[in-house]
Amino acid sequence: ISPSYPLVTADTSNSPYHTTDVEYLITFYSTSAEQVLDFIPERFTPMVSASGDAILSMRWQKGAAASLGEFHILRLFALCQDNVTGEVCNFGLMGFGDSSSVITHNREVFGRPLKYAKPKLQVQKDTLVGSLEYSTIPVCTTTMTYKQSTISCD
């Protein structure tokens, strides 16, 4: 078992497929560390906040690819430490895609299975909104004022 994504790299792979105009919204929140332990292998230890809660991130992604068309993906990660290498990484807990081609592509090409749902990343007036609808039920929504501040990737 290996970490699903390195902490400091984008959600891309070396592949022959080309995506364009990819947009991201990454939000962080915390939850009970005991609950996260049920979903990650023993090799990993969840990173915890000062209050002892596990740190999770949601990565909303919107883009387009010649073979897939426009797509929306939402992935949920636990920030973990690899007990073997000592590296900090994002361990993928679950993911959602909005079409069968995106779901198949992620499973067969990248080995990252997704569930069918309706994740969406869009701009509403001056706010960036990420939402997830699963089986017609609104599951979560996150917002951020559009272009409020820029962070350094260094």
Side-chain angles (χ1 to χ4, degrees):
I1 298 171
S2 64
S4 55
Y5 296 93
L7 177 64
V8 294
T9 62
D11 185 19
T12 58
S13 300
N14 293 329
S15 79
Y17 302 98
H18 179 71
T19 57
T20 58
D21 300 324
V22 179
E23 300 172 10
Y24 291 95
L25 171 62
I26 301 172
T27 56
F28 293 91
Y29 65 98
S30 61
T31 190
S32 166
E34 291 79 29
Q35 291 179 342
V36 173
L37 287 172
D38 292 339
F39 296 97
I40 61 174
E42 290 182 12
R43 175 178 174 166
F44 301 101
T45 302
M47 303 293 284
V48 294
S49 64
S51 63
D53 290 336
I55 302 168
L56 303 180
S57 69
M58 296 179 88
R59 184 177 299 160
W60 309 83
Q61 180 181 352
K62 173 185 174 183
S67 59
L68 302 174
E70 186 174 303
F71 60 87
H72 294 261
I73 296 172
L74 168 63
R75 290 194 176 95
L76 177 66
F77 299 94
L79 185 60
C80 296
Q81 181 168 7
D82 185 330
N83 297 325
V84 174
T85 66
E87 293 180 358
V88 175
C89 61
N90 282 315
F91 184 83
L93 297 172
M94 63 180 69
F96 301 93
D98 65 350
S99 72
S100 60
S101 60
V102 167
I103 292 169
T104 303
H105 178 81
N106 273 269
R107 180 186 67 234
E108 300 298 327
V109 175
F110 300 117
R112 301 173 185 155
L114 304 174
K115 291 185 175 199
Y116 180 75
K118 293 185 181 173
K120 193 160 191 158
L121 179 60
Q122 61 187 349
V123 176
Q124 293 181 3
K125 296 186 180 181
D126 68 341
T127 305
L128 191 55
V129 179
S131 60
L132 175 65
E133 186 177 287
Y134 185 77
S135 188
T136 72
I137 300 169
V139 176
C140 64
T141 301
T142 189
T143 62
M144 181 185 81
T145 303
Y146 188 63
K147 291 189 177 181
Q148 181 172 331
S149 62
T150 303
I151 60 171
S152 173
C153 294
D154 296 333

